[in-house]
């Protein structure tokens, strides 16, 4: 009789553990909800870019970045990172052109100044297939190509883009993700 009781106890332990794990996942999802979403647009000569930055309750930052070049295929992808003071450091995982089979990942840095995000330029090294900014080398925000201005996500900031890219729906592919 005692042996049957022990078997029953051991058989129920995994179920109790599994129930507790699902409650923890639900709590973690609630804690890491989106607390702010901001849209940005930038242009440089004939190139343009649109970015959506979602700030999570945990401090993590996610979002999307679309860069349209005049003479090259566009880059479209996701950003993941966090703010470190007034600097947003993210990993940008993107596809180039219509090729969705090959993804690239590069680090990006943005300096938040006067309500704008200024993209920085720095030396990058790759170790074990992962790209990083070279330690000890400064990020140059004055040499950056894009300065992102905050825009209204719902009004599609086509006014801020070069005439070549002026069309409604520039953010539509970013907002849907």
């Amino acid at each position: 009789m005692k042996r049957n009781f022990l078997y029953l106890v051991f058989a129920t332990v995994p179920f109790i553990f599994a129930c507790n794990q699902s409650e923890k996942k639900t709590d973690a999802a609630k804690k890491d909800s989106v607390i702010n979403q901001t849209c940005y647009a930038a242009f440089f000569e004939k190139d343009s870019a649109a970015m959506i930055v979602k700030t999570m309750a945990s401090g993590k930052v996610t979002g999307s970045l679309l860069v349209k070049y005049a003479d090259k295929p566009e880059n479209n992808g996701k950003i993941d990172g966090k703010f470190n003071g007034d600097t947003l450091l993210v990993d940008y995982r993107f596809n180039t052109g219509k090729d969705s089979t090959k993804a690239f990942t590069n680090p990006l840095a943005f300096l938040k100044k006067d309500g704008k995000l200024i993209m920085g330029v720095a030396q990058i090294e790759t170790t074990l297939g992962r790209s990083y900014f070279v330690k000890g080398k400064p990020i140059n925000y004055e040499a950056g190509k894009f300065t992102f201005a905050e825009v209204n996500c719902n009004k599609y900031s086509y006014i801020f883009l070069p005439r070549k890219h002026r069309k409604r729906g520039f953010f539509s592919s970013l907002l849907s993700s």
Side-chain angles (χ1 to χ4, degrees):
M1 183 73 161
K2 289 182 181 181
R3 183 178 276 172
N4 288 341
F5 179 72
L6 285 174
Y7 288 139
L8 181 63
V9 169
F10 285 124
T12 58
V13 168
F15 293 109
I16 293 170
F17 182 74
C19 290
N20 287 340
Q21 290 299 319
S22 67
E23 289 174 15
K24 288 178 184 176
K25 287 179 184 177
T26 304
D27 291 343
K30 287 179 185 175
K31 289 179 186 174
D32 207 21
S33 60
V34 176
I35 59 171
N36 186 28
Q37 177 175 299
T38 309
C39 294
Y40 294 91
F43 65 92
F44 178 79
E45 295 174 356
K46 293 181 179 180
D47 301 335
S48 57
M51 181 168 53
I52 296 175
V53 176
K54 298 175 184 177
T55 306
M56 311 301 276
S58 66
K60 182 180 172 187
V61 173
T62 64
S64 303
L65 175 60
L66 171 65
V67 181
K68 291 189 174 186
Y69 298 103
D71 302 327
K72 296 190 288 186
E74 69 182 34
N75 292 343
N76 191 3
K78 305 284 183 192
I79 58 171
D80 287 301
K82 65 179 182 174
F83 271 100
N84 187 4
D86 59 357
T87 305
L88 174 60
L89 298 169
V90 297
D91 284 325
Y92 177 41
R93 184 170 173 79
F94 63 97
N95 299 100
T96 299
K98 295 181 181 182
D99 183 8
S100 61
T101 60
K102 192 172 184 181
F104 302 93
T105 303
N106 283 339
L108 297 177
F110 299 91
L111 178 65
K112 188 162 191 168
K113 185 175 181 183
D114 300 326
K116 296 180 180 181
L117 290 176
I118 304 165
M119 183 185 282
V121 176
Q123 188 175 350
I124 296 174
E125 67 182 3
T126 303
T127 306
L128 299 174
R130 180 130 166 91
S131 297
Y132 299 93
F133 289 121
V134 176
K135 289 187 179 186
K137 300 276 185 170
I139 298 172
N140 185 348
Y141 294 100
E142 292 176 7
K145 190 173 182 178
F146 290 116
T147 298
F148 288 85
E150 189 174 326
V151 295
N152 185 329
C153 296
N154 296 324
K155 292 198 177 186
Y156 304 102
S157 62
Y158 68 97
I159 296 169
F160 295 95
L161 303 172
R163 192 167 298 280
K164 180 178 180 180
H165 296 304
R166 286 187 185 175
K167 61 182 181 182
R168 293 196 184 274
F170 189 70
F171 279 101
S172 61
S173 64
L174 298 177
L175 287 169
S176 63
S177 51

